[in-house]
């Protein structure tokens, strides 16, 4: 039974690009379909959405408020250590990430019997460990697609 959807941000919920204006203002783009899946679908499945990301961003904090994501961990250098504080049962975790800094969590979740997903543009070392590779790129609906796959495959039960 899946109880948590752990998500990376840059390259997973976003396209991994950081847009900067000439005044230094940073911007990120989020996909509305991902947001709907997180805000509307996950609660009906009793799955808690959780963000664990290496970067610090006010933009991410604001988006998480909009989506009612209550557990948001930013500026995390050791994602596995943070994940261990979130839950000690990795078999109840669905994890979606895209890059090398997700690998320690991915390996541990996979070894415990949890579920791993990634966007199609994830690095190869993440893809080879994934149970599901979305046909969508990060920031283009990959998270929603992973949520839909979780439902269809009934791995959340």
């Amino acid at each position: 039974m899946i109880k948590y959807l752990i998500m990376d941000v840059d390259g997973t919920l976003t396209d991994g690009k950081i847009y900067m204006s000439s005044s230094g203002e940073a911007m990120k783009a989020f996909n509305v379909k991902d947001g709907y899946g997180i805000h509307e679908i996950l609660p009906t499945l009793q799955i808690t959405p959780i963000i664990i990301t290496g970067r610090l961003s006010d933009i991410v904090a604001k988006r998480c408020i909009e989506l009612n994501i209550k557990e948001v961990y930013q500026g995390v250098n050791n994602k596995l250590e943070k994940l261990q504080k979130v839950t000690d049962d990795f078999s109840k975790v669905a994890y979606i990430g895209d890059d090398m800094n997700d690998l320690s969590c991915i390996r541990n979740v996979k070894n415990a019997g949890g579920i791993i997903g990634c966007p199609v543009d994830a690095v190869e070392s993440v893809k080879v460990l994934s149970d599901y590779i979305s046909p969508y790129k990060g920031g283009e609906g990959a998270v929603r697609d992973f949520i839909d796959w979780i439902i269809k495959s009934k791995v959340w039960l």
Side-chain angles (χ1 to χ4, degrees), residues 40-58:
E40 301 296 329
I41 297 173
L42 289 182
T44 68
L45 305 175
Q46 298 180 359
I47 296 175
T48 302
I50 299 172
I51 299 289
I52 301 177
T53 182
R55 294 182 56 88
L56 284 169
S57 168
D58 289 337

Side-chain angles (χ1 to χ4, degrees), residues 1-129:
M1 170 189 271
I2 299 299
K3 289 181 63 177
Y4 308 101
L5 175 59
I6 311 295
M7 297 166 281
D8 175 44
V9 175
D10 294 317
T12 304
L13 280 169
T14 74
D15 61 9
K17 298 175 184 173
I18 298 170
Y19 302 88
M20 298 193 89
S21 69
S22 60
S23 63
E25 180 183 16
M27 294 171 272
K28 296 179 187 235
F30 295 91
N31 188 286
V32 172
K33 290 180 183 81
D34 289 342
Y36 186 86
I38 293 164
H39 189 264
E40 301 296 329
I41 297 173
L42 289 182
T44 68
L45 305 175
Q46 298 180 359
I47 296 175
T48 302
I50 299 172
I51 299 289
I52 301 177
T53 182
R55 294 182 56 88
L56 284 169
S57 168
D58 289 337
I59 299 164
V60 171
K62 288 176 183 171
R63 182 65 174 149
C64 288
I65 290 168
E66 287 179 346
L67 298 179
N68 200 30
I69 301 173
K70 294 185 183 348
E71 292 188 58
V72 182
Y73 306 102
Q74 296 195 70
V76 176
N77 291 323
N78 186 332
K79 289 185 175 188
L80 179 58
E81 184 178 286
K82 181 56 72 179
L83 182 58
Q84 289 168 328
K85 290 179 182 176
V86 169
T87 182
D88 60 357
D89 189 351
F90 291 173
S91 70
K92 296 183 179 191
V93 170
Y95 190 101
I96 184 164
D98 72 307
D99 213 338
M100 303 294 289
N101 62 343
D102 295 303
L103 283 175
S104 61
C105 290
I106 287 170
R107 285 188 188 108
N108 280 274
V109 168
K110 183 148 185 95
N111 289 340
I115 304 300
I116 305 301
C118 71
V120 70
D121 58 343
V123 298
E124 193 61 31
S125 55
V126 170
K127 287 181 176 182
V128 299
L129 294 172

